[in-house]
């Protein structure tokens, strides 16, 4: 039987550090948004995936969800669902060139380990 004083976890109860965008990431988001006037920004979430536990999911967003938090930099908007914040709070989103590829990179202080391919991460 649960105690009446038992604490429950709610993402609404926390003060989040937030998610930041580098100038390069903001520029790329603005490039993507410019291709469709209905797009408001980029949505960043997490899903269970890969060998390390979680993976990042990015999508263009036309209508943000009611529980999305909005982070902006240089006019670019990044939307993050409140439920993802315990996993990615404090993350810096960058856009970098790696060889011939250009990709979003996530500098996540909560990621304790990553898989060898770099596609997933785990938190403790």
């Amino acid at each position: 039987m649960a105690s009446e004083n038992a604490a429950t976890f709610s993402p609404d109860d926390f003060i989040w550090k937030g998610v930041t965008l580098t100038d390069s990431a903001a520029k790329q988001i603005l490039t993507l948004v410019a291709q469709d006037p209905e797009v408001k920004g980029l949505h960043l979430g997490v899903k269970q995936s890969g060998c390390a536990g979680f993976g990042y999911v990015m999508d263009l967003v036309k209508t943000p969800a009611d529980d999305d938090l909005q982070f902006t930099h240089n006019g670019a908007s990044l939307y993050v669902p409140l439920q993802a914040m315990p996993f990615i709070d404090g993350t810096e989103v960058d856009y970098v060139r790696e060889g011939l590829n250009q990709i979003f990179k996530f500098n996540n202080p909560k990621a304790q380990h990553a898989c060898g391919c770099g596609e997933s991460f785990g938190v403790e």
Side-chain angles (χ1 to χ4, degrees):
M1 205 162 164
S3 164
E4 288 183 26
N5 294 330
T8 58
F9 171 79
S10 171
D12 291 316
D13 296 337
F14 290 87
I15 297 173
W16 303 107
K17 295 175 188 170
V19 177
T20 58
L21 296 167
T22 64
D23 291 344
S24 179
K27 183 178 176 183
Q28 179 60 19
I29 291 171
L30 290 173
T31 298
L32 295 170
V33 168
Q35 296 174 15
D36 184 342
E38 292 184 27
V39 172
K40 304 285 187 245
L42 206 57
H43 188 264
L44 171 63
V46 294
K47 66 175 181 173
Q48 288 192 321
S49 151
C51 52
F54 297 97
Y56 299 102
V57 181
M58 295 188 88
D59 296 298
L60 295 173
V61 62
K62 292 182 179 181
T63 306
D66 290 339
D67 70 340
D68 281 351
L69 300 178
Q70 180 181 11
F71 301 98
T72 59
H73 179 67
N74 291 346
S77 293
L78 181 72
Y79 298 92
V80 178
L82 185 59
Q83 298 86 350
M85 289 305 291
F87 305 103
I88 60 175
D89 188 35
T91 296
E92 176 191 65
V93 179
D94 196 4
Y95 189 73
V96 299
R97 179 182 300 271
E98 289 187 348
L100 298 176
N101 298 317
Q102 294 183 29
I103 60 170
F104 283 101
K105 292 286 272 188
F106 308 96
N107 301 313
N108 184 346
K110 294 192 174 287
Q112 298 297 315
H113 54 278
C115 66
C117 65
E119 293 296 319
S120 63
F121 69 98
V123 295
E124 306 220 359

